[in-house]
Short mmCIF file of all heavy atoms in Angstrom, two decimals:
data_model
loop_
_atom_site.label_atom_id
_atom_site.label_comp_id
_atom_site.label_asym_id
_atom_site.label_seq_id
_atom_site.Cartn_x
_atom_site.Cartn_y
_atom_site.Cartn_z
N THR W 21 -63.88 44.78 -10.31
CA THR W 21 -62.59 44.12 -10.03
C THR W 21 -62.41 43.97 -8.56
O THR W 21 -63.02 44.73 -7.76
CB THR W 21 -61.41 44.92 -10.66
OG1 THR W 21 -61.41 46.18 -10.11
CG2 THR W 21 -61.55 45.01 -12.14
N GLY W 23 -60.72 44.24 -4.88
CA GLY W 23 -59.81 45.18 -4.19
C GLY W 23 -58.57 44.45 -3.63
O GLY W 23 -58.49 43.29 -3.74
N ALA W 47 -29.25 33.87 -11.60
CA ALA W 47 -28.52 33.01 -12.47
C ALA W 47 -29.46 32.43 -13.53
O ALA W 47 -28.95 31.94 -14.57
CB ALA W 47 -27.87 31.84 -11.64
N ILE W 53 -36.92 29.17 -17.29
CA ILE W 53 -37.73 28.24 -16.59
C ILE W 53 -38.91 27.78 -17.44
O ILE W 53 -39.30 26.59 -17.43
CB ILE W 53 -38.19 28.96 -15.24
CG1 ILE W 53 -36.95 29.16 -14.33
CG2 ILE W 53 -39.26 28.09 -14.57
CD1 ILE W 53 -37.25 30.02 -13.11
N ALA W 54 -39.57 28.75 -18.07
CA ALA W 54 -40.78 28.44 -18.83
C ALA W 54 -40.43 27.53 -19.99
O ALA W 54 -41.11 26.48 -20.29
CB ALA W 54 -41.32 29.74 -19.47
N LEU W 66 -48.38 17.39 -18.57
CA LEU W 66 -48.30 18.47 -17.49
C LEU W 66 -47.89 17.81 -16.16
O LEU W 66 -47.23 18.43 -15.30
CB LEU W 66 -49.59 19.16 -17.41
CG LEU W 66 -49.52 20.44 -16.56
CD1 LEU W 66 -48.65 21.51 -17.20
CD2 LEU W 66 -50.97 20.99 -16.56
N ASP W 94 -47.01 28.90 -10.38
CA ASP W 94 -46.26 29.99 -11.01
C ASP W 94 -45.57 29.39 -12.27
O ASP W 94 -45.53 30.17 -13.34
CB ASP W 94 -45.14 30.48 -10.12
CG ASP W 94 -45.60 31.60 -9.13
OD1 ASP W 94 -46.85 31.86 -9.17
OD2 ASP W 94 -44.78 32.02 -8.33
N TRP W 116 -63.35 41.79 -38.63
CA TRP W 116 -63.49 41.00 -37.38
C TRP W 116 -63.50 39.50 -37.73
O TRP W 116 -62.84 38.73 -36.99
CB TRP W 116 -64.76 41.35 -36.63
CG TRP W 116 -66.03 40.92 -37.28
CD1 TRP W 116 -66.76 41.61 -38.24
CD2 TRP W 116 -66.66 39.66 -37.19
NE1 TRP W 116 -67.86 40.80 -38.69
CE2 TRP W 116 -67.83 39.62 -37.99
CE3 TRP W 116 -66.54 38.50 -36.35
CZ2 TRP W 116 -68.77 38.55 -38.09
CZ3 TRP W 116 -67.35 37.40 -36.45
CH2 TRP W 116 -68.40 37.48 -37.30
N TRP W 136 -51.12 19.83 -23.39
CA TRP W 136 -51.28 20.09 -21.92
C TRP W 136 -51.98 21.42 -21.65
O TRP W 136 -52.52 21.65 -20.53
CB TRP W 136 -49.86 19.97 -21.23
CG TRP W 136 -48.89 20.91 -21.84
CD1 TRP W 136 -47.97 20.48 -22.81
CD2 TRP W 136 -48.64 22.30 -21.66
NE1 TRP W 136 -47.24 21.59 -23.20
CE2 TRP W 136 -47.60 22.69 -22.58
CE3 TRP W 136 -49.24 23.27 -20.85
CZ2 TRP W 136 -47.14 23.99 -22.60
CZ3 TRP W 136 -48.81 24.56 -20.94
CH2 TRP W 136 -47.75 24.95 -21.80
N GLU W 139 -55.30 21.55 -20.05
CA GLU W 139 -55.40 21.20 -18.58
C GLU W 139 -55.09 22.31 -17.63
O GLU W 139 -55.26 22.19 -16.44
CB GLU W 139 -54.49 20.01 -18.27
CG GLU W 139 -54.70 18.79 -19.20
CD GLU W 139 -53.58 17.74 -18.92
OE1 GLU W 139 -53.19 17.52 -17.70
OE2 GLU W 139 -53.04 17.23 -19.85
N LEU W 159 -60.79 41.44 -29.04
CA LEU W 159 -61.86 42.40 -28.68
C LEU W 159 -61.74 43.64 -29.53
O LEU W 159 -62.70 44.18 -29.95
CB LEU W 159 -61.75 42.73 -27.21
CG LEU W 159 -62.15 41.73 -26.24
CD1 LEU W 159 -61.88 42.17 -24.80
CD2 LEU W 159 -63.74 41.57 -26.34
N MET W 197 -55.68 6.21 -29.33
CA MET W 197 -54.82 5.48 -30.29
C MET W 197 -53.53 4.99 -29.69
O MET W 197 -53.08 3.86 -29.86
CB MET W 197 -54.60 6.33 -31.50
CG MET W 197 -55.93 6.52 -32.37
SD MET W 197 -55.60 7.66 -33.76
CE MET W 197 -54.59 6.65 -34.80
N SER W 251 -69.24 27.70 -39.48
CA SER W 251 -70.66 27.68 -38.97
C SER W 251 -70.85 28.56 -37.72
O SER W 251 -71.80 29.23 -37.68
CB SER W 251 -71.11 26.27 -38.67
OG SER W 251 -70.99 25.45 -39.82
#
Side-chain angles (χ1 to χ4, degrees):
T21 60
I53 293 171
L66 193 63
D94 275 0
W116 71 271
W136 50 267
E139 304 172 42
L159 287 171
M197 291 176 68
S251 299

